[in-house]
Amino acid sequence: MKQLSEHLYRKSVWAIATLEHGLGRLLLLWIGVAGALSALRIAFAATPVDTGVAFAQTALPYILVIGAPVAAYLIGNSLFPRGALYEQPQIRLARYGKWRQVDCLTARQHKLFGPTGMMASLVIGMMLNIPVRSLEFVAAVPAMNGHAPLWGQLLFAAMTMDVVVMNFLYMLAFMMALRNVPWFPRLILLVWGVDIVSQVGIAHVVSNAPGLPAQVGEAMGGLLAGNLKKVAISVAIWLPYLLLSERVNLTYRGRVAL
């Protein structure tokens, strides 16, 4: 078991280092693959793309979906440069357990410092959530524009906004976790809350759209329910870890167990 644990830890260190130094290339790959899938969706749009306005209405949502994580990366890379030292928040929210505060230099020298070990699974999971969520959007929601009925326009706009906002927030949380920013635990809690409210809000808007076909409502209901379940599972698994983990408390709260 000890050898397995050490092997998994080395794998986590390698994975985080690879992400840190190869993130730019991954984003270029993301732009290429997501752009190709989006172009196919636009080419087979559910409504006619017969004018420049119709093309803009059809293409702009996909441009925003692709660009949201790129924008979050650029913002995060600017605000949270690699190796920077950060002050802890003045108000401590996570109070469970007995901890001793240490300075940022002492924390960085500790063997548990950094988003490795089990924490790497959360970091990688946040990043993977972006392509998974985007692929679900491209697969489940047909491209539409102003020629679509009102329910179609509402559905397309609501689902697009959800993916754009959540792609941005999950990427920003990923950058904060990767760069050891103390505000990360609070941000990921906020992101989960926004995700839940977003799914409930979309369900309300879409279900009340005039003329919504029953089969479309059922399909969207299943997709939104699946998103809610994924968020609930994430909270159930990771919230206790974020509160109790020595690695999390050292890396993001600057404290060690007594």
Side-chain angles (χ1 to χ4, degrees), residues 2 4 9 40 51 59 62 80-81 86 93 96 103 106 112 169 180 192 203 218 228 237 244 252 254 257:
K2 183 178 180 181
L4 177 61
Y9 175 73
L40 284 174
T51 65
Y62 294 98
F80 318 120
Y86 304 97
L93 299 181
Y96 185 85
D103 62 80
T106 301
L112 291 178
L169 289 178
N180 310 313
W192 285 333
E218 292 176 3
L228 278 175
I237 293 174
L244 302 175
Y252 302 106

Side-chain angles (χ1 to χ4, degrees), residues 89-172:
Q90 293 183 352
I91 300 175
R92 182 68 67 197
L93 299 181
R95 297 179 177 275
Y96 185 85
K98 296 182 178 180
W99 309 93
R100 174 174 59 87
Q101 204 71 28
V102 296
D103 62 80
C104 58
L105 295 179
T106 301
R108 285 178 176 270
Q109 295 170 358
H110 198 285
K111 63 180 181 180
L112 291 178
F113 184 86
T116 53
M118 187 174 177
M119 183 63 198
S121 299
L122 175 56
V123 174
I124 295 171
M126 287 188 295
M127 185 191 67
L128 290 178
N129 184 69
I130 295 169
V132 169
R133 200 181 197 106
S134 301
L135 182 59
E136 289 177 343
F137 167 73
V138 172
V141 183
M144 290 179 276
N145 51 46
H147 292 302
L150 181 57
W151 65 263
Q153 296 181 47
L154 288 174
L155 173 63
F156 193 45
M159 296 300 292
T160 299
M161 186 59 64
D162 172 63
V163 178
V164 169
V165 171
M166 297 318 302
N167 276 1
F168 181 89
L169 289 178
Y170 276 112
M171 189 64 184
L172 188 61

